[in-house]
Amino acid sequence: MTNDAWGRVRETLAKRIGKNNYTSWIEPLRLSGLSEGVARFEVPTTFFGDWVSRNFSDHILTLLNAEGHEVGRTEFVVPSRPIEAAKPVRAAAKPAPRARVDEELPGATLDARFTFDSFVVGKPNELAHAAARRVAEGGPVTFNPLFLYGGVGLGKTHLMHAIAHELQARQPHLRVLYLSAEQFMYRFVQALRDKQIMDFKEIFRSVDVLMVDDVQFIAGKDSTQEEFFHTFNALVDQNKQIVISADRAPGEIKDLEDRIKSRMQCGLVVDLHPTDYELRLGILQQKAEYYRNQYKGLAISGGVLEFLAHRITTNVRVLEGALTRLFAFASLVGREITLELAQDCLADILRASDRKLTIEEIQRKVSEHYNIRLSDMIGPKRLRNIARPRQVAMYLAKQLTPRSLPEIGRRFGGRDHTTIIHGVRKIEELMTTDSQLSDDLQLLRRLLQA
Ligand code: ADP
Ligand code: MG
């Protein structure tokens, strides 16, 4: 099915970008996956992937979205085996190779669109952005590592790529290596297998800047963690900058060795908070601007972006996918983008985002977190170790659901609304003085809104 869609996308591409471009750049692509908003392709070389990413990614994404695949990003991977069908790039279309400092580094391809310019800064991400900017200046290392964490689709990868782009532009001599923790593991296992572990160590210890994305992936993978720890220490000792990302704070990653956790906490740990309305609107406006240039003459009525920013609160990737699909659809049918069109075309996304958080879900998560029974959460016990989590759940129910105080009271075993007010106030008060509690709240909020 996916292959049919890709077949149709290829046909349209052939018409849009011309025969030469098509044979040189699109034909050799192998679609290897379409999931989590990412279209993955196998390519013959890193350079090839870079080129396609820079020049044709937007076309490909637009067309895939028009086929009903919600993708916001492309990824190009060089498989360990050569692709048989890959045709040599034709001389006529061959661009001048860019000077790449990391030619021989085993890093991942950078997405050309993930730059600081295209990153919209708002309250939820301003700290992470400022820290990333600082690292990208490439001055003396002031904090090591920079540890960025936050939920899915909040811009961690975007910021890391932006750092790499900026460093390469400002200081081309620096050896900047960006890769996912998964790729780190893969390289490591491969090196073990091929008995090239010394080479592996040498490469990783010779970089100036190491960036490892989604480090939670190596938790529980013992020998990879061990190797990562040594690489990490060797680089820190040489005063080389390290940037790490994860989906949660170092201390919250289960099965990550304690010595690694504490090493991570030695640097600057910053989190990306869930987006707020203003940030979402900002991102949509920036994207819409881009699309308006792409699809000349396509009009978008007032209020549509506001509507989307208000309704799609899950993550930025979904938000982007929605807009991409909307523009592709409107351009296909040649209509103005109105509120009705958006509601029609995005019905499934809107429905999915409509899922309301329930008080029961909150109670369950909070009980799990504090290791108490769900029945105690609702029951009459007044012991501190039960009453406090109960108040946390009350607070979150007030914050994260539209339910009224009496309604919340009813779900907490028929308590009076004044009890709920008291609980909410208590937590608000403690939050400012008790840092453990405020960490707990942040984590719970993130888990619940994921
Ligand atoms: P993460 O790595 O945190 O899961 P990504 O960095 O992959 O998230 O971001 C998901 C998508 O959302 C990307 O296409 C990215 O460009 C976009 N995005 C996220 N935050 C922002 C932002 N503040 N401004 C512009 N685009 C953003
Ligand atoms: Mg990421």
Side-chain angles (χ1 to χ4, degrees):
M1 222 194 96
T2 300
N3 271 328
D4 287 355
W6 176 232
R8 286 192 293 274
V9 169
R10 289 177 16 139
E11 276 169 29
T12 317
L13 271 173
K15 285 176 215 140
R16 285 211 188 157
I17 65 176
K19 188 92 184 80
N20 271 351
N21 271 331
Y22 177 80
T23 355
S24 306
W25 303 109
I26 305 299
E27 228 168 49
L29 291 180
R30 268 292 167 74
L31 181 68
S32 63
L34 275 177
S35 61
E36 290 160 56
V38 184
R40 290 187 185 76
F41 295 94
E42 290 186 351
V43 288
T45 63
T46 309
F47 173 76
F48 190 100
D50 267 1
W51 184 262
V52 178
S53 164
R54 269 170 202 278
N55 294 283
F56 306 115
S57 246
D58 291 318
H59 281 299
I60 295 176
L61 288 173
T62 308
L63 292 169
L64 281 172
N65 276 281
E67 286 284 341
H69 292 284
E70 258 157 56
V71 282
R73 177 150 78 82
T74 48
E75 228 172 65
F76 298 92
V77 184
V78 183
S80 39
R81 278 172 293 105
I83 309 177
E84 337 106 44
K87 291 205 179 146
V89 171
R90 289 160 43 141
K94 191 171 181 174
R98 279 191 303 138
R100 279 186 68 107
V101 281
D102 58 350
E103 201 76 90
E104 74 285 23
L105 290 176
T109 313
L110 298 174
D111 190 315
R113 291 164 311 157
F114 290 180
T115 60
F116 282 117
D117 275 348
S118 65
F119 191 82
V120 180
V121 185
K123 237 189 151 76
N125 61 24
E126 64 181 340
L127 232 57
H129 172 258
R133 278 275 192 197
R134 166 63 72 81
V135 169
E137 283 167 12
V141 175
T142 46
F143 39 77
N144 218 359
L146 167 60
F147 190 101
L148 299 170
Y149 75 94
V152 181
L154 296 182
K156 301 180 293 294
T157 298
H158 188 136
L159 279 178
M160 290 176 102
H161 286 210
I163 294 173
H165 286 309
E166 186 85 8
L167 282 170
Q168 283 185 345
R170 286 177 182 233
Q171 309 196 35
H173 61 279
L174 283 184
R175 289 165 64 84
V176 179
L177 177 54
Y178 163 88
L179 80 178
S180 67
E182 193 177 352
Q183 286 167 319
F184 180 86
M185 185 182 87
Y186 177 72
R187 303 282 171 199
F188 174 61
V189 172
Q190 201 176 34
L192 282 178
R193 194 190 57 206
D194 302 346
K195 307 205 168 39
Q196 295 194 321
I197 201 69
M198 291 320 286
D199 293 348
F200 175 91
K201 283 181 192 288
E202 200 178 300
I203 290 174
F204 276 89
R205 282 159 179 65
S206 72
V207 303
D208 297 302
V209 181
L210 175 67
M211 302 203 255
V212 181
D213 208 349
D214 289 318
V215 81
Q216 74 277 356
F217 180 84
I218 61 164
K221 312 214 163 61
D222 292 340
S223 47
T224 304
Q225 279 196 56
E226 174 86 22
E227 185 56 35
F228 177 73
F229 182 70
H230 293 310
T231 306
F232 187 98
N233 286 341
L235 289 173
V236 170
D237 286 347
Q238 297 175 58
N239 222 3
K240 305 295 190 190
Q241 181 72 55
I242 298 176
V243 183
I244 306 284
S245 87
D247 64 353
R248 56 196 71 190
E252 293 162 7
I253 306 178
K254 271 205 194 103
D255 298 323
L256 189 67
E257 283 182 47
D258 285 338
R259 55 182 185 166
I260 300 187
K261 284 185 193 171
S262 59
R263 268 293 192 162
M264 298 290 164
Q265 282 154 343
C266 286
L268 180 65
V269 179
V270 230
D271 61 342
L272 290 122
H273 296 273
T275 57
D276 57 16
Y277 173 79
E278 287 77 20
L279 178 58
R280 289 194 295 274
L281 187 60
I283 292 171
L284 284 171
Q285 282 166 340
Q286 189 206 50
K287 271 257 156 190
E289 185 58 39
Y290 168 82
Y291 281 130
R292 266 197 293 265
N293 291 327
Q294 282 253 308
Y295 301 92
K296 293 235 176 346
L298 203 58
I300 178 163
S301 335
V304 173
L305 298 182
E306 286 78 3
F307 168 75
L308 295 179
H310 182 68
R311 288 288 301 274
I312 304 177
T313 55
T314 38
N315 78 48
V316 181
R317 207 170 287 152
V318 178
L319 200 63
E320 286 184 342
L323 200 65
T324 308
R325 195 205 290 179
L326 199 53
F327 271 93
F329 184 72
S331 90
L332 281 178
V333 298
R335 274 163 58 190
E336 177 178 348
I337 300 178
T338 59
L339 215 49
E340 289 83 71
L341 185 88
Q343 274 165 334
D344 257 16
C345 164
L346 303 175
D348 54 333
I349 300 183
L350 293 170
R351 219 175 308 122
S353 312
D354 232 10
R355 199 189 72 88
K356 288 277 181 295
L357 190 59
T358 65
I359 294 177
E360 286 69 26
E361 274 172 88
I362 295 174
Q363 290 170 331
R364 198 159 356 99
K365 266 279 178 295
V366 175
S367 312
E368 268 169 30
H369 181 76
Y370 288 103
N371 229 332
I372 65 168
R373 266 196 271 269
L374 187 57
S375 54
D376 282 340
M377 160 81 52
I378 298 158
K381 287 191 189 155
R382 286 164 174 243
L383 294 168
R384 163 79 71 89
N385 67 335
I386 289 175
R388 190 70 81 228
R390 186 186 292 136
Q391 289 171 332
V392 166
M394 290 173 178
Y395 170 82
L396 290 170
K398 182 75 200 108
Q399 290 267 313
L400 304 180
T401 76
R403 304 274 162 247
S404 68
L405 292 168
E407 273 176 300
I408 296 175
R410 270 198 295 283
R411 309 293 173 88
F412 279 84
R415 286 176 161 82
D416 191 71
H417 77 276
T418 54
T419 310
I420 308 298
I421 296 181
H422 173 76
V424 172
R425 294 229 174 103
K426 187 76 202 170
I427 296 301
E428 279 169 354
E429 196 184 299
L430 287 175
M431 219 161 48
T432 55
T433 54
D434 183 341
S435 66
Q436 176 62 50
L437 179 71
S438 93
D439 285 352
D440 286 351
L441 284 170
Q442 248 185 51
L443 172 66
L444 284 164
R445 197 193 287 268
R446 215 173 35 245
L447 290 173
L448 287 164
Q449 290 180 326

